[in-house]
Amino acid sequence: MMTKKTISASRASLILFLCQMITALEVPLDLSQPPTITQQSPKDYIVDPRENIVIQCEAKGKPPPSFSWTRNGTHFDIDKDARVTVKPNSGTLVINIMNGGKAEAYEGVYQCTARNERGAAISNNIVIRPSRSPLWTKEKVEPKHVREGDPLVLHCSPPVGLPPPIIFWMDNSFQRLPQNERVSQGLNGDLYFSNVKPEDTREDYICYARFNHTQTIQQKQPISVKVFSMDSLNETISANLSDTGFYGAKPLTERRPTLLTPVGSTSNKVELRGNVLLLECIAEGLPTPVIRWIKEGGELPINRTFFENFKKTLKIIEVSEADSGKYKCVARNPLGSTHHTITVTVKAAPYWITAPRNLVLSPGEDGTLICRANGNPKPNISWLTNGVPIAIAPEDPSRKVDGDTIIFSDVQERSSAVYQCNASNEYGYLLANAFVNVLAEPPRILTPANKLYQIIANNPALLDCAFFGSPVPEIEWFKGVKGSILHGDLYVFHDNGTLEIPVAQKDSTGTYTCVARNKLGKVQNEVHLEVKDPTMIIKQPEYKIIQKGGQVSFECTIKHDRTLMPTITWLKDNGELPVDERFIIHKDSLAIMNVTDKDDGTYTCVANTTLDSVSASAVLTVVDRPDPPFDLELTDQLERSIQLSWIPGYDNNSPITNFVIEYEDGMREPGVWHYQTEVHGTQTTVQLKLSPYVNYSFRVIAVNEIGRSQPSEASEQYLTKAAKPDENPSGVQGIGSEPDNLVIIWEPLKGFQSNGPGLQYKVSWRQKDVGDEWTSVIVANVSKYIVSGTPTFVPYEIKVQALNDLGYAPEPAEVIGHSGEDLPMVAPGNVQVHIVNSTLAKVHWDPVPLKTVRGHLQGYRIYYWKVQSLSKRRRRHVEKKILTFSGNKTHGMLPGLEPYSSYKLNVRVVNGKGEGPASPDKLFKTPEGVPSSPSFLKISNPTLDSLTLEWGPPTHPNGVLIAYTLKFQPINSTHELGPLIEIRIPANETSLILSNLNYSTRYKFYFYAQTSVGSGSQITEEAVTIMDEAGILPPALGAGKGYSETLFATSPVIHTVHPTFYKVRPVYPRIRNVTASAAETYANISWEYEGPDHVNFYVEYGVAGSKEDWKKEIVNGSRSFFVLKGLTPGTSYKVRVGAEGLSGFVSSEDVFETGPAMASRQVDIATQGWFIGLMCAVALLILILLIVCFIRRNKGGKYPVKEKEDAHADPEIQPMKEDDGTFGEYRSLESDAEDHKPLKKGSRTPSDRTVKKEDSDDSLVDYGEGVNGQFNEDGSFIGQYSGKKEKEPAEGNESSEAPSPVNAMNSFV
């Protein structure tokens, strides 16, 4: 909410100028003029007798006036009284009474006269009276003895003072006596009791009178009041009188109201117009009456009527003749009413209708003085001239008196004088001076030249042109230097010369010229107007609700005229902010830290400039948990219920939503409070249900949206009587812990559920359906009883009954329990196994007779274990597995079996005691399944047109292997896959030499085993044939990520085709095709990875079948191969690969076995002389080729290449077009940072015959190892050459007819 207040100088000037228009024209003091009284003392002047008396009389005129005084109507000779002096250049009297003088000697009526050669002005009659504060007359104050319920009036009767004193009642401790509807003070100062109560008894009722003028307080003698109650009065009478016929004081009786003041049924009141009307009615009665006011035949005036003194006083301010009438006060209580009518008459001392104003005329002009007044009764109007009644004053032919008007015609300079108008009636008088000054003066402008006015746009602009001249000049206004005269609806021209622009705009800015002219001359003056933009609050504070202890901020952003400098002030509840460091004022905001409940209120941002002011307010409501309830009271106390009532605490500005009632059992758990119930927040009473034999205390907690209050103080304690138990224990059960017993358990009664002392339990049982009598036993306050010697697992009827010293609880309900269980006696029979597939079997059995279960049937349990694999691979140990089928099932499924294996199983029945005997072992076999992937695939001995493949059989053949299948296809320089070739290999083979391959070509291999059921998982690998017959071997790719990035040229056998590309979407992230090529003490682990770049891998391995922790080796960089060293020969290992930073992301496990030690078949050719010579020859050839390439490069265009793809596609899932020789797309799994594209096979050479510079990285060389891919038996690599080189430009037309020497060169650079 924003409240805008604009206070402008123009608005204030408007009020000033309008006032000037009403008063007489001001005559400059440098011109001759009659005297004017400017200051005088009040008509009724009460002075302090301890200080000097100062009677003011100031006047102005030209020449300066002289002063004289009259006292009580006669001349007061100041020079004859040494105590009286006159202030210099003034008519003010100073009467010195400080040195032995008495103020009473100077009481009287004083009047001042100011006179010069042009006339005389007189002051009002000033009545001087010294103030008086007399002492109380000594009197003996008798004690007041009054009966309870009777009325009482304590009279004050203060001494008469001047002015009258202010009355109030206090005690000896100077504490005001409390007043209310029953006890109150009247307008005359008396203290009225409508009826007295015993608590009114006291000995220090003291009336005080305060005389403000002399700042003194007078005290009356204390009054003692003794109130006798009916009971004490009867006891006193009985003790002092023996008359058996006296029945004592009458009991306290109620009575209808009667008035203590005013007396009678009617009264009259006269009040003067403009004063405050006070009417009073005070009544007595029992119960205390209530006062109501009405005006007969009309309504009480709105906005001027107030009720005081508990509605016993009617107050009407600024009364007028319309307020005359009959006012009735009505006093009422339940027994009746009474009333009093006051007739009010409003009289009026004289008041002005038109007061005479100074008149300035030029010689020969006409004019009038008007004096009109009203009053009740109507005042008499009389005229004086220069202080003398006009009837006896010197005659002036230019004037004529016509009642309340004096008419002047053809005045001359001698007509100048001061005229007095006196309007009087019996209630007072009015006296006004007005002069007639005859002058001949040319115009003059009194407003300073070039005065600057600044106002806010859309407000009135008032441009002053105060002037004087005789005759009165005419005023004209112009805007600008050569502007025309202003006129029209846009301007208002005032008689005092002021120009008003009612709604000033920005274009109102400028220079304005005021011209004053009369017959004696002309004068002009310029003033300047600037219109400013208003100040606005564009971001005002908003209503906030904040919890106590928090912090809050109010924003206040303003926009203002750039030429004005605003100041921002913050107010709280229209007053200054508290002086507290918690209040932090920023440029555009107010922050309050650690808010308290005292910060609640309205905060106002006030932006002030020199011309305007705007404000915006917002309310801060501080909320908190409620204050705790108080005044807890217990009523309606019964054996099983009670009513609790309370008074809510302050809700701290967040309404109470509910009350929580808690109780304490002072007998059993003193200090521990429990939840009883809760009620709505508007409720303050609740009927509570109680239990017997509990010593209750209650407390109440208030809850609002902020939280829970502190608990209230505890109520008084209430002890309920003991009784028989109302309820029996719950949760009764009968179960056996041994085959020959019955354990009866129950949930014992809690605390006050016992209803009395001596809580025990009667435990009863009998065997079901055999007709036995109940067996019972009474036990102490426990929760279990054991019955021994029972038959095994038979049903029993059980009941548990509570009792205490006062009797038994109601008859309890019976429950069925069973004695203890024993192990089942027989095993399930007719166990049958039905094979569903190679990994799933279904088992059937016949259920056992329920009598043989000897307990609660929980289900059947199948034990099964693998005896051996039919592939003749024995397991190291037998691991039994268990499946439990709940309930009375007769079949179940066995999942997760291994194919082509022999299993045994048996079935057992289960009860609460345990398992029964096992059925005979049942042997069954699982059929063949598809095998796992071959344990490894190793590619070695690359030549120009052949590769040697070695592999290991599947770790899990899952049947009889019938063959291996090898599929392979070439990969060109752009990772496109060529035609797929398939070879079937006998199952007993472990190696194969592939011949007739293209030289310097990368191939991808897919290898898997087969059983009679089908094909198993495949293992993939890649390898590259060597470039030529020079004997330089590229790296052998036994493992690793599997992709060499070598550029190659196709063999002449393969024809150039235009490939069709197929996108294969990789699955991220994934580590697959983990393979291991093992030797005696080491193994080469390789894998394929699809996922984010720059991943660091680790290899974990351990002995297969062992429960030892995995051993972990960190892979250097993000390569996709690793050599495990230090392995034990002839040992099976398990291995898996994981990625650092990918939580829980590891590959599937692979198993390999190290072999026996073998002699090294390979030598390091890098140390052979023939190899060094060959490498030098190759380097020379490369240099010659580079020169040729440089020459041809200047003649041809660029050689286009296709952007490499992201992954190599599996031929089993990519679409192929083998009939037309189209290659599918092959996407590399290398990261972008390490994946470099070979040139696309079969691409056509552009016209500029240039080849794009590319990298060629072998998959092992890529990691800077500088080695070939072939391993020695100790794990070292054969041969070495440099790592990655900078990309080189290529030249020539790559075709399918011949290999490019540049490409061949790049394969090794």
Side-chain angles (χ1 to χ4, degrees), residues 838 865-878 897-904 923-929 931 954-961 1011:
S838 61
W865 62 96
K866 180 179 177 182
V867 177
Q868 68 174 2
S869 172
L870 299 180
S871 301
K872 298 182 181 180
R873 293 194 176 187
R874 296 179 180 177
R875 301 182 63 86
R876 296 181 179 274
H877 62 279
V878 175
L897 303 177
E898 293 185 15
Y900 204 54
S901 299
S902 177
Y903 280 88
K904 285 185 179 181
L923 179 66
F924 68 96
K925 299 178 181 179
T926 56
E928 289 187 82
T955 306
H956 302 287
N958 294 337
V960 178
L961 297 180
T1011 64

Side-chain angles (χ1 to χ4, degrees), residues 119-342:
I122 60 176
S123 70
N124 292 322
N125 288 329
I126 302 171
V127 180
I128 301 296
R129 293 184 297 169
S131 65
R132 297 180 180 87
S133 52
L135 299 176
W136 240 290
T137 58
K138 291 185 178 181
E139 59 177 330
K140 184 178 181 181
V141 179
E142 296 293 337
K144 303 286 186 181
H145 297 279
V146 60
R147 187 175 61 174
E148 181 182 1
D150 287 352
L152 175 65
V153 180
L154 299 181
H155 297 286
C156 180
S157 303
V160 178
L162 186 67
I166 297 173
I167 306 301
F168 51 93
W169 290 80
M170 293 197 298
D171 59 16
N172 276 330
S173 301
F174 296 98
Q175 299 296 316
R176 285 187 178 268
L177 296 176
Q179 298 187 25
N180 48 45
E181 289 184 342
R182 186 178 62 86
V183 182
S184 60
Q185 177 184 315
L187 294 176
N188 61 358
D190 293 346
L191 190 62
Y192 293 87
F193 294 78
S194 294
N195 51 77
V196 295
K197 294 183 178 181
E199 56 262 32
D200 295 328
T201 298
R202 62 189 310 146
E203 297 181 350
D204 55 350
Y205 285 93
I206 305 174
C207 180
Y208 289 86
R210 184 175 67 209
F211 298 91
N212 283 344
H213 219 76
T214 57
Q215 297 297 310
T216 57
I217 296 178
Q218 303 293 348
Q219 172 184 336
K220 185 182 178 74
Q221 291 293 324
I223 302 174
S224 174
V225 174
K226 175 68 173 177
V227 179
F228 293 98
S229 66
M230 292 300 98
D231 293 338
S232 63
L233 189 58
N234 284 332
E235 291 175 1
T236 303
I237 294 173
S238 299
N240 293 306
L241 297 177
S242 59
D243 187 353
T244 57
F246 187 81
Y247 295 100
K250 295 180 181 180
L252 191 63
T253 58
E254 296 181 344
R255 62 184 182 277
R256 62 183 298 166
T258 59
L259 288 174
L260 296 175
T261 183
V263 296
S265 61
T266 61
S267 60
N268 298 305
K269 173 78 172 180
V270 175
E271 191 56 78
L272 293 182
R273 178 182 182 272
N275 288 352
V276 176
L277 173 64
L278 294 174
L279 304 179
E280 179 181 57
C281 275
I282 300 178
E284 63 90 9
L286 188 66
T288 302
V290 176
I291 305 297
R292 185 170 63 92
W293 291 89
I294 59 175
K295 182 181 181 182
E296 294 183 357
E299 298 290 335
L300 294 174
I302 301 175
N303 300 327
R304 295 190 293 115
T305 300
F306 303 93
F307 298 100
E308 297 180 344
N309 197 20
F310 310 99
K311 292 192 175 181
K312 299 175 185 179
T313 302
L314 172 65
K315 176 180 178 181
I316 301 177
I317 62 174
E318 298 179 0
V319 295
S320 65
E321 289 86 342
D323 295 323
S324 297
K326 293 183 177 182
Y327 293 81
K328 180 187 289 186
C329 69
V330 180
R332 184 184 303 275
N333 72 3
L335 278 73
S337 65
T338 186
H339 69 272
H340 183 92
T341 301
I342 305 173

Side-chain angles (χ1 to χ4, degrees), residues 635-650:
T635 56
D636 298 342
Q637 299 172 352
L638 303 176
E639 289 187 2
R640 293 295 183 99
S641 69
I642 197 168
Q643 180 170 290
L644 173 66
S645 60
W646 62 90
I647 298 176
Y650 180 52

Side-chain angles (χ1 to χ4, degrees), residues 179 426 768 802 1215:
Q179 298 187 25
E426 59 186 282
K768 190 174 184 293

Side-chain angles (χ1 to χ4, degrees), residues 1120-1239:
S1120 56
F1121 69 92
F1122 187 76
V1123 178
L1124 290 177
K1125 299 180 181 180
L1127 303 180
T1128 303
T1131 305
S1132 293
Y1133 285 90
K1134 57 184 178 181
V1135 65
R1136 65 184 181 188
V1137 180
E1140 296 282 355
L1142 300 177
S1143 177
F1145 175 50
V1146 296
S1147 69
S1148 59
E1149 297 179 17
D1150 191 31
V1151 178
F1152 66 90
E1153 185 173 348
T1154 54
M1158 299 174 64
S1160 176
R1161 304 188 302 267
Q1162 299 174 342
V1163 295
D1164 189 354
I1165 62 174
T1167 60
Q1168 303 299 310
W1170 65 268
F1171 178 75
I1172 297 174
L1174 178 62
M1175 293 302 295
C1176 292
V1178 170
L1180 179 61
L1181 177 62
I1182 290 172
L1183 180 60
I1184 295 171
L1185 290 174
L1186 287 175
I1187 296 172
V1188 174
C1189 290
F1190 180 79
I1191 296 171
R1192 297 188 62 185
R1193 180 172 178 269
N1194 294 330
K1195 300 178 181 180
K1198 295 183 179 179
Y1199 191 91
V1201 297
K1202 178 186 180 296
E1203 292 295 322
K1204 66 181 179 180
E1205 304 298 329
D1206 297 329
H1208 291 175
D1210 193 312
E1212 297 295 333
I1213 63 173
Q1214 72 169 0
M1216 298 289 292
K1217 292 185 180 179
E1218 299 187 47
D1219 54 346
D1220 61 356
T1222 302
F1223 284 7
E1225 183 183 0
Y1226 185 86
R1227 185 183 298 275
S1228 172
L1229 299 180
E1230 294 287 355
S1231 66
D1232 292 339
E1234 299 171 348
D1235 192 5
H1236 302 279
K1237 304 174 184 176
L1239 289 176

Side-chain angles (χ1 to χ4, degrees), residues 49-120:
R50 299 167 299 180
E51 297 179 354
N52 291 338
I53 301 173
V54 177
I55 308 175
Q56 290 185 327
C57 182
E58 302 291 340
K60 65 177 182 178
K62 184 66 182 292
S66 59
F67 297 90
S68 62
W69 285 88
T70 62
R71 178 183 174 189
N72 298 328
T74 61
H75 176 68
F76 183 37
D77 193 348
I78 297 171
D79 295 335
K80 291 183 177 180
D81 192 333
R83 296 185 179 276
V84 181
T85 58
V86 179
K87 287 185 178 181
N89 302 318
S90 169
T92 298
L93 294 181
V94 178
I95 304 174
N96 186 357
I97 59 173
M98 300 292 290
N99 298 320
K102 292 184 178 182
E104 291 80 1
Y106 292 93
E107 285 190 64
V109 179
Y110 293 79
Q111 188 173 42
C112 170
T113 301
R115 186 186 307 274
N116 68 8
E117 62 188 28
R118 286 189 168 250

